[in-house]
Amino acid sequence: MIKIFFSFFIIFLYITNAKVELTLEEKAFIKANPKIVLGLDKNWNPYIIKKGDLLEGLEVDYINLINKKLGTNITLVADEWENIIFLAKSKQIDGLALSSISNDRKTYFDFSKTYLQSYKYIFTLSNKKVTSFKDLENKKVAIQYMNNFEKYLLEDIKNIKTVYVKNKDEAHKLLLEGSIDAFIGDNVDRYLLKLKGIENIQIAFDIKESIFNAVYSIRKDWPILVSILNKAIDDITLIEKRELYKKWFNFEKLNLNRIIFSQEELEFIKNKKVVIASATPWEPFHVEKQEGVQTGISYDFWDLIKEKSGLKSINIQVDTFTSVLNCIKDKTCDMAVAVGETKDRKQYALFSKSYATFPISIATSKDINHISSIDSLKDRKIAVGENYTAHKKMLEKYPSLNYIVVKNIQEGLELLSKGKVFAYVDIMPVLAHNINKYGYTNLKISGNTGINFDVTFMIRDDYALLVSIINKVTNTILEEEKQKILNKWIAVVYHESINYILIFYILGVVFIVVSIIFYKNRQLLKYQNVIKQKNRILEKQKKELENTNNLLKNAQDNLQKSLDSFKVLVNSTIEAVLIEKQGKIEYANDSFVKVFEYDNQEEVYKNTIDDFFVNSILKKDCSNISFEFLGVTKNGVEFPILVKKESLIFEKEKATIISIFDLSELKDKEQLILQQSKMVAMGEMIGNIAHQWRQPLTAITTAATSLKIRKQLGDFNDEILEEVIEAIMRNSKFLSQTIDDFKNYLKDSKEKQKFNIKDIFEQSLNLIRPALKNSFINDNINMDGDIYIESYFNELNQALINILNNAKDALIEKEQLEDKAVFLKAYMQEDEVILEIKDNAGGIPLDIIDSIFEPYFTTKHQSQGTGLGLYMTYKIITESLNGSIKVTNTTFIYKNKKCSGAKFVIRLPYS
């Protein structure tokens, strides 16, 4: 009796654990996306059958099964295949169902595992004898348009004329008319031909290697949805699939267990004998029946795979599990039968599809309460088998735990029983088996680690063919075959002692099941009363349907009113809105007519889309982002605009909606700000020039006065005259150079010129040097040789003067600072010229340093600053000169003193 109850309990745990388990990230994704829409070809009966607005069919039932297992709300839409593909590529739906993997789709989609398979056949008229493609030489064979898989099947077949059809009905019609000689079809054709009563079309022959592997193609930015779907696909059993096929395909024989091996796989099966390495037993997965004879759960699965495939194998014995891993790594053996996939093992081995899944559990002494969190294991000794999968997976997820490595499970349980470790971790059936086998009555399974162990076959990394063979066979193993193996080994292990706690758990489970049955019976009685009430309600609903018809009419009227309101809303926006389709204008709102200076919308519709812009806007690849462009009015006047465009489906066709904002007024204001900034700088410069002229004018006046006095005193000769004239000329030349520098600054030249960075440093300093000297501020230029650049001289000059003026003002405020200075440096870096301007004024406060390039931002008094200087400097550098500017605080040594200040770094393209 205990065996029976325990067997029931373990199977119950196995089934419960096999439920789809999602990560927190996956659950959050489902919550954030309450509705997921996949599309498929509407011409694939009975996979999809349209009845008005309703869909039914095998694929609908399969999606409902997935929704039930995941708690998702995945819905389907069906249309012509080319329309569905367009919607999926443009992300108007989230992916494709009943699709295949192809290179052209990999750009747009990630793919799930195969979830359904279909086989392809050649169909001909029943009076034609066709047994191979050779019989179809110079014949017409139809395939479905945009069906990549059918196209692929004919790629290597010569002398066959391919005819493309829109759907299966068209293929049937053309064959019956004699317009084609054959077509490629599948079980859908068998279903449709039987449904339509067409008996003179037959399957001529199967197409070898023609398995159509149906996958879900999911939008590229949702890889997590692929992971979620794969978990559901793995959880759907062959029995569940068989029920779906039985419901929708009413054929006498539909072999879901059919295994088609490639020629390479058949050669491998024929010529190779698989060498399986095993170490110490890992019961009940690996049991040594007698010396050299291995059995257990994993070996029974392997025997079943050999039986279904024809594979051959031999066993070799090694001393430890680590030796098993090493022999696969150096290829002295080919496979191990009961191994879990881990990151480090994937570097030298391949892994088959999982054939069983169990939780990795925690064994402790009986006096320990249930462990509900891994935090209970912190700062405790945890025993685990050396290099066991449980060991690897625990290290990956919980690397900070204190692990005690043991050679095998016996050693680990012995340490646990003696209290030398707090817990031993391994897969649940292995723990339960060995605790009972060795009579550890003081131990129990206290909880799970939250990690699942997917039991797989581990295979040397150059045997990909063996992996493929095993996976194909595993896909055909029935659930009852799996349960038979599990029941065999789980039912015979517990016989040495009675575990009353376990019996209590089992009785608890039985009690829950009985309670559920009792509850369901009570529910059935309630449902009978509900049905009676429903009948009365139906009568009432019949009357309500008449009222509903009236409501529908009112709803239609309201919908028209909503459409009219929408048009009013679009027409009331200040943005110009345009919808184009294939280059033609489909709609333009009132703002568009006004902005582009047309008289009415009819005038707009007479033009093509390119008539409104300087260049073709449709060719500009800027979807979903705003960008500046040039528009053209009705009178041919160009004006700046801000544009955003997006693709959409308009009246069942691909179209583009374009929203436009007129930037003319903003551009004028921006130019005014630039001029304002320049006028402010000019005012400061005039003050500099007045200061700069004072000294040479004084010198000229003094020289002229000295000549007059010398002549009156009689102390006058030619030598004195030449000396005084030379002094006057030297000072006059300085005055003239100052005027030239100022004139150059005022020039509004927009032509690029090649110039030396040293020259622009000197000119910028010449214009403000008197103000610097008047405030006892030194200037320093640091350049290694000449550096030339092709750019806009005057605009860069204005930017530098703005920075230097800010440095000057900052230094003037530092009244106690000695040795005030500004520093200019230039150097080349790859294809850029780098300019650095820094001072020793102490730097910019960190709470405002990110705001100094904003317009009208200033720390000065309103009478001293406008807040436009650095804003215009930023605009000049980034927009006019195509460069970049950044500011940071820096520290450095100047005249043997540690200084700090602001450093502006300007990066400009060489040309």
Side-chain angles (χ1 to χ4, degrees), residues 137-340:
E137 286 186 1
N138 300 314
K139 303 290 185 183
K140 294 179 181 179
V141 178
I143 64 173
Q144 192 170 348
Y145 176 63
M146 291 192 76
N147 190 311
N148 292 331
F149 185 63
E150 291 182 0
K151 184 179 177 182
Y152 160 75
L153 292 175
L154 292 182
E155 276 184 353
D156 298 327
I157 310 298
K158 297 179 180 179
N159 301 323
I160 286 181
K161 299 174 183 177
T162 303
V163 176
Y164 291 97
V165 294
K166 191 173 183 180
N167 52 48
K168 294 182 178 295
D169 287 334
E170 185 180 352
H172 302 164
K173 180 182 175 184
L174 292 177
L175 184 60
L176 290 171
E177 291 174 350
S179 301
I180 58 173
D181 300 292
F183 65 84
I184 294 180
D186 48 34
N187 286 329
V188 175
D189 293 274
R190 296 173 65 189
Y191 172 85
L192 292 174
L193 292 171
K194 187 170 183 178
L195 192 67
K196 292 186 286 188
I198 299 174
E199 297 181 353
N200 58 335
I201 294 179
Q202 65 173 5
I203 294 177
F205 61 87
D206 293 9
I207 302 176
K208 293 181 179 179
E209 303 301 322
S210 68
I211 301 177
F212 169 68
N213 293 310
V215 299
Y216 293 113
S217 302
I218 303 301
R219 50 192 284 184
K220 202 77 175 173
D221 56 341
W222 279 9
I224 192 170
L225 180 56
V226 176
S227 171
I228 294 168
L229 288 173
N230 283 341
K231 289 183 177 181
I233 290 167
D234 287 340
D235 197 62
I236 293 174
T237 66
L238 199 60
I239 293 174
E240 289 172 316
K241 287 185 183 179
R242 190 182 296 278
E243 288 301 315
L244 294 181
Y245 275 94
K246 184 178 178 181
K247 175 181 176 182
W248 293 103
F249 289 98
N250 190 22
F251 305 144
E252 292 181 3
K253 292 183 179 180
L254 187 64
N255 186 9
L256 295 178
N257 294 326
R258 178 182 179 188
I259 306 173
I260 298 179
F261 295 117
S262 66
Q263 190 58 40
E264 292 86 351
E265 290 168 343
L266 291 172
E267 290 293 327
F268 186 96
I269 293 169
K270 179 180 178 182
N271 300 322
K272 296 288 185 180
K273 184 175 283 188
V274 181
V275 179
I276 300 175
S278 59
T280 53
W282 192 51
E283 299 178 3
F285 289 91
H286 169 206
V287 179
E288 192 168 15
K289 190 174 182 180
Q290 59 190 60
E291 188 173 352
V293 179
Q294 313 297 331
T295 185
I297 293 174
S298 295
Y299 277 93
D300 279 3
F301 270 104
W302 175 241
D303 289 341
L304 185 58
I305 289 170
K306 287 199 299 180
E307 179 185 334
K308 287 174 176 279
S309 65
L311 283 165
K312 302 174 287 292
S313 66
I314 59 172
N315 295 311
I316 62 170
Q317 188 76 21
V318 294
D319 54 349
T320 64
F321 183 67
T322 301
S323 300
V324 172
L325 299 178
N326 289 333
C327 84
I328 290 177
K329 189 184 295 186
D330 59 27
K331 298 179 176 58
T332 54
C333 64
D334 304 324
M335 189 176 80
V337 295
V339 187

Side-chain angles (χ1 to χ4, degrees), residues 688 691-692 694-696 734 762 764-780 804-805 808 811-812 820-822:
N688 291 341
H691 184 84
Q692 203 163 343
R694 187 174 291 113
Q695 185 176 344
F734 177 79
E762 286 293 347
S764 299
L765 286 170
N766 284 343
L767 290 171
I768 69 163
R769 188 171 275 136
L772 295 177
K773 287 186 177 180
N774 192 49
S775 300
F776 305 103
I777 299 171
N778 296 321
D779 58 81
N780 298 270
L804 289 169
N805 274 328
K808 177 200 72 176
L811 288 164
I812 289 173
K820 302 176 183 178
V822 292

Side-chain angles (χ1 to χ4, degrees), residues 536-573:
R536 290 193 293 269
I537 292 171
L538 283 172
E539 291 296 325
K540 184 180 178 181
Q541 287 178 340
K542 185 178 179 180
K543 295 178 182 178
E544 291 176 349
L545 279 174
E546 296 175 1
N547 296 330
T548 302
N549 287 331
N550 295 327
L551 290 173
L552 284 173
K553 188 178 182 304
N554 293 334
Q556 191 173 9
D557 295 338
N558 290 333
L559 183 62
Q560 184 61 45
K561 290 179 183 177
S562 298
L563 182 61
D564 294 339
S565 299
F566 173 75
K567 288 183 178 179
V568 171
L569 179 64
V570 172
N571 284 327
S572 65
T573 179

Side-chain angles (χ1 to χ4, degrees), residues 180 504 752:
I180 58 173
F504 176 76
K752 279 189 176 183

Side-chain angles (χ1 to χ4, degrees), residues 708-768:
K708 183 178 180 181
I709 293 172
R710 282 176 178 270
K711 186 176 180 181
Q712 290 175 351
L713 295 176
D715 184 17
F716 183 79
N717 54 45
D718 291 343
E719 183 179 347
I720 291 171
L721 179 62
E722 287 180 5
E723 181 181 338
V724 172
I725 289 172
E726 183 179 349
I728 292 172
M729 290 295 292
R730 185 171 60 251
N731 284 284
S732 298
K733 185 176 180 182
F734 177 79
L735 294 176
S736 177
Q737 182 63 45
T738 303
I739 292 171
D740 289 342
D741 288 346
F742 187 61
K743 282 168 62 182
N744 288 335
Y745 174 75
L746 293 178
K747 282 182 182 178
D748 193 15
S749 173
K750 282 298 289 184
E751 292 185 5
K752 279 189 176 183
Q753 55 182 302
K754 191 172 183 179
F755 55 87
N756 193 333
I757 294 297
K758 186 180 292 184
D759 293 339
I760 200 166
F761 277 175
E762 286 293 347
Q763 182 160 322
S764 299
L765 286 170
N766 284 343
L767 290 171
I768 69 163

Side-chain angles (χ1 to χ4, degrees), residues 670-681:
E670 188 176 284
Q671 188 62 35
L672 185 63
I673 291 173
L674 177 63
Q675 193 63 31
Q676 183 182 356
S677 172
K678 196 161 185 177
M679 293 299 293
V680 171

Side-chain angles (χ1 to χ4, degrees), residues 778-796:
N778 296 321
D779 58 81
N780 298 270
I781 296 177
N782 180 9
M783 286 180 61
D784 294 332
D786 294 329
I787 298 175
Y788 288 88
I789 187 173
E790 188 174 346
S791 190
Y792 300 106
F793 186 94
N794 286 335
E795 294 194 26
L796 180 57

